[in-house]
C-alpha cells in the first residue's frame, strides 16, 4: 500500500547553493533568450535588464523549484545569482528545509 502523504523535504534533500545557482542561471538565460554561459553569477540582476514583472515571475518559479515561499524582494536584497543562491541554501539549513 502506498501513502499519499509526502513529507517535507529534509535538509539532506534541499538544493545546495551550487544547485540553486545553476538553476537560476538557466532560468535567467531562458528568460533573456541567451546562452546560459553568458550568465555570470557574480553580475547583479539589474545588469540583465530585468523588469519588475520578470523579477516577480522568477521569484514565483523559484518558489516552485524550492517548494518554499520566496519574496520577490530577495532579488533586490541579494542582487546576484551567487549571493541569492547562497542565502537560500543557508536559510534552508537554518529552517530545516
Amino acid at each position: 500500500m502506498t501513502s499519499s502523504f509526502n513529507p517535507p523535504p529534509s535538509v539532506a534533500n534541499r538544493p545546495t547553493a551550487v544547485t540553486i545557482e545553476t538553476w537560476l542561471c538557466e532560468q535567467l538565460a531562458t528568460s533573456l533568450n541567451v546562452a546560459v554561459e553568458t550568465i555570470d553569477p557574480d553580475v547583479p540582476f539589474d545588469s540583465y535588464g530585468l523588469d519588475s514583472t520578470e523579477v516577480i515571475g522568477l521569484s514565483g518559479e523559484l518558489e516552485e523549484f524550492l517548494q518554499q515561499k520566496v519574496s520577490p524582494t530577495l532579488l533586490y536584497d541579494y542582487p546576484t545569482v551567487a549571493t541569492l543562491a547562497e542565502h537560500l541554501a543557508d536559510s534552508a539549513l537554518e529552517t530545516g528545509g
Side-chain angles (χ1 to χ4, degrees):
M1 175 178 212
T2 60
S3 171
S4 62
F5 174 74
N6 292 321
S10 70
V11 172
N13 293 334
R14 297 296 300 162
T16 64
V18 171
T19 303
I20 296 168
E21 184 175 300
T22 299
W23 184 89
L24 281 166
C25 286
E26 290 170 351
Q27 296 305 306
L28 272 175
T30 299
S31 176
L32 298 169
N33 200 29
V34 298
V36 71
E37 295 81 17
T38 65
I39 304 297
D40 182 342
D42 296 312
V43 169
F45 289 111
D46 62 6
S47 296
Y48 293 110
L50 297 176
D51 63 28
S52 59
T53 303
E54 290 167 316
V55 168
I56 291 169
L58 183 59
S59 66
E61 292 170 2
L62 191 53
E63 280 185 3
E64 290 178 27
F65 175 69
L66 297 174
Q67 297 180 356
Q68 73 180 43
K69 183 77 175 145
V70 175
S71 171
T73 63
L74 280 182
L75 277 79
Y76 299 105
D77 297 337
Y78 300 91
T80 68
V81 168
T83 58
L84 180 59
E86 191 68 36
H87 167 74
L88 291 169
D90 288 348
S91 67
L93 290 175
E94 291 170 8
T95 63

